[in-house]
Amino acid sequence: MTDPTTLTLVGAAEAVRQGRLSARELTQATIAKAERLQPVLNCFIHRHPEQALAAADAADAARRRGAALGPLHGVPLAHKDMFYRAGLVSTCGSAIRKDFLPTQTATVLGRLDAAGAIDLGGLNMSEFAFGPTGHNAHWGDCRNPWNPDHVTGGSSSGSGSCVAARIAFGALGSDTGGSVRLPAGLCGVVGLKPTQTRVSRHGAMGLSFSLDAVGPLARTVRDCARLFTLIAGHDPEDPTSSRLAVPDCEATTLAPQIKGLRIGVPSNYYYDLATDEVRDLMRASLRVFADLGAEIVDVAVPEHERVRELASAVIIPEAATLHAAWLRERPHDYGAQVRARIELGLSFPAHRYLQALQVRSEILRRFVQKVFSRCDVLHAPVLAFPVPTRAETDVKDGPSFPTVLARMTWCTSPINYLGLPGLAVPCGFTSNGLPGAFQLVGRPFAEGDLFRVGAAYEQAGIWTERAPAL
Amino acid sequence: MKRLNAELVLDLVARTLGIELRAGSGGRAAGSGNAIEAALDAVAGHSLFDTEPAQFERELRRLRGESGDD
């Protein structure tokens, strides 16, 4: 029989639903794979094999008695270790919270539980979700399945690595400046940063109240769409979550048509740091879209250098607010880089912070009017250069760290300030054997459009069929 | 008029909060602060209502175009 861990999320759910595979068989296979690959990839901070198998047995029993089965019935997932589950430790990738026992369960976990998913454990992440490379001073670096010497991208490092390694069938991450799209793109899987307010943040660790977004990573666009459709939508526990109805985004991936769609290619900013190899990958992906009938148009993106700085003006003071007490009481329990970054926000002027929020809607309006009057979807790299090694980017709080981090998030962080949805889709490999990816950016709440366009590309190519040799 | 040195301000705030800073924090604050100040000087806001999350969500909904579904 085929190794069940090589199935897609949708394929695994279908196999369990039809009884071709039991939830226990599927879960056992993923647990065994996680066990084998943990020394290589360090994806997990903690695993719960007994609980996972008990949940799998319950799922099999439910099927035997003819109970209604959810769209993830018996499918093993794992999530960034910052989504709280009552009674289970959630470290947030830190030493400070190594024994933190939440008393509540994140709404997104509750929704996945209700859909029948099985939770394998907490995944590695950058400390307090504040780092774009995937290094972690406390729990060890998470490693890229395509080459463990290279970074996974962060902060949802374990989510990217675990899904790419075909351990879990999907994972949740969070994205404040690129933290879903980077690990998805750098590990060769699909990842969505939803529109701000689209997904509940109740029971998820915060970093920047105004910019944090919870999003899924999965092996295919359709898998990702299924996870998104399940977790999105208003939550009374998160008063900032939108009441806008959530369409069935998975349906948009089934027979995707993009004939006549206008795909915008930024004529400024996004290619400022791009290497020839990344330009070649982007051009090749655009050729696929053109062959599918899309119209490729050049688009100037307004005031992006400024938008990057405005994002910092929001993140830095919000992070300092959340961390001030720990900075006072446990400064030495932080990794050097995270502490250095948070300290910057302590003296950030209140009026400047409010100003950065005050102009956000106006800047979003200008962006939407200028960009989406010319195109339906914007296409840009996730990372402007080939995936670097862990050694190259292990800069801690040394003098080069602001530059290294700025380069990593160059293409992703503006989208967080704008609050727009962004879908990272793998599109081939650079000469170092590591994945490359583009991101599709759409109007607010246009996740369905992004999934449709991403699925059209994916179905025309072969990238999701390639898996790392592990 | 003389502007307060960002390094000094960070040091004063940290002392007020009882926080011990890492060496070099002040210099980094000055470096990142300059770029942010320049960006903020170039934009003008309208109302403080715009700082509310609900207001931003309304703007997102207004700008969604044909996508989404109430």
Side-chain angles (χ1 to χ4, degrees), chain A residues 203-281:
Chain A
M205 182 211 76
L207 170 63
S208 170
F209 176 76
S210 301
L211 305 187
D212 293 339
V214 172
L217 297 90
R219 299 174 194 181
T220 69
V221 174
R222 183 178 175 187
D223 288 355
C224 196
R226 179 173 294 191
L227 290 172
F228 169 73
T229 303
L230 288 167
I231 63 171
H234 180 66
D235 171 20
E237 298 286 350
D238 176 356
T240 67
S241 61
S242 178
R243 292 180 179 276
L244 207 60
V246 181
D248 178 1
C249 288
E250 186 180 345
T252 70
T253 69
L254 298 183
Q257 295 297 319
I258 61 165
K259 194 169 174 54
L261 184 92
R262 296 169 304 162
I263 295 184
V265 179
S267 57
N268 61 312
Y269 184 82
Y270 283 95
Y271 285 88
D272 288 358
L273 306 179
T275 63
D276 289 344
E277 274 196 286
V278 168
R279 287 172 190 271
D280 287 346
L281 279 183

Side-chain angles (χ1 to χ4, degrees), chain A residues 6-279:
Chain A
T6 61
L7 295 167
T8 63
L9 175 145
V10 169
E14 197 58 21
V16 172
R17 175 179 291 273
Q18 293 175 349
R20 287 184 279 116
L21 201 58
S22 70
R24 172 168 267 271
E25 287 170 320
L26 194 59
T27 305
Q28 272 179 326
T30 58
I31 288 170
K33 198 163 186 182
E35 179 81 22
R36 178 169 69 81
L37 293 178
Q38 180 65 11
V40 182
L41 301 176
N42 196 27
C43 290
F44 285 85
I45 290 179
H46 47 81
R47 286 169 283 162
H48 309 299
E50 294 82 12
Q51 288 103 316
L53 285 171
D57 289 341
D60 287 333
R63 185 180 175 280
R64 281 194 298 272
R65 67 171 182 271
L69 307 183
L72 297 176
H73 192 83
V75 178
L77 308 176
H79 309 295
K80 188 175 188 177
D81 198 27
M82 53 162 275
F83 295 101
Y84 305 155
R85 189 178 285 285
L88 285 180
V89 168
S90 179
T91 66
C92 305
S94 71
I96 287 173
R97 281 196 151 179
K98 71 179 169 60
D99 300 316
F100 170 59
L101 271 179
T103 55
Q104 54 190 352
T105 295
T107 294
V108 285
L109 292 190
R111 289 182 179 179
L112 295 176
D113 292 346
I118 288 165
D119 191 343
L120 294 169
L123 294 172
N124 206 342
M125 58 183 282
S126 304
E127 181 182 9
F128 290 119
F130 209 14
T133 58
H135 292 89
N136 187 305
H138 310 293
W139 300 95
D141 301 345
C142 190
R143 296 171 210 129
N144 196 309
W146 295 94
N147 184 336
D149 291 336
H150 287 251
V151 297
T152 54
S155 63
S156 310
S157 52
S159 305
S161 182
C162 184
V163 174
R166 274 57 178 169
I167 299 172
F169 291 91
L172 294 180
S174 67
D175 193 316
T176 306
S179 288
V180 164
R181 287 161 290 158
L182 283 166
L186 275 57
C187 292
V189 298
V190 178
L192 176 76
K193 178 244 170 246
T195 307
Q196 197 74 38
T197 74
R198 194 47 141 164
V199 176
S200 168
R201 300 179 294 174
H202 168 70
M205 182 211 76
L207 170 63
S208 170
F209 176 76
S210 301
L211 305 187
D212 293 339
V214 172
L217 297 90
R219 299 174 194 181
T220 69
V221 174
R222 183 178 175 187
D223 288 355
C224 196
R226 179 173 294 191
L227 290 172
F228 169 73
T229 303
L230 288 167
I231 63 171
H234 180 66
D235 171 20
E237 298 286 350
D238 176 356
T240 67
S241 61
S242 178
R243 292 180 179 276
L244 207 60
V246 181
D248 178 1
C249 288
E250 186 180 345
T252 70
T253 69
L254 298 183
Q257 295 297 319
I258 61 165
K259 194 169 174 54
L261 184 92
R262 296 169 304 162
I263 295 184
V265 179
S267 57
N268 61 312
Y269 184 82
Y270 283 95
Y271 285 88
D272 288 358
L273 306 179
T275 63
D276 289 344
E277 274 196 286
V278 168
R279 287 172 190 271

Side-chain angles (χ1 to χ4, degrees), chain A residues 352-369:
Chain A
R352 289 304 211 180
Y353 165 67
L354 286 170
Q355 193 184 350
L357 289 176
Q358 193 182 31
V359 297
R360 193 180 182 196
S361 292
E362 176 61 29
I363 289 177
L364 171 65
R365 268 194 293 277
R366 290 203 289 262
F367 182 90
V368 168
Q369 283 160 5

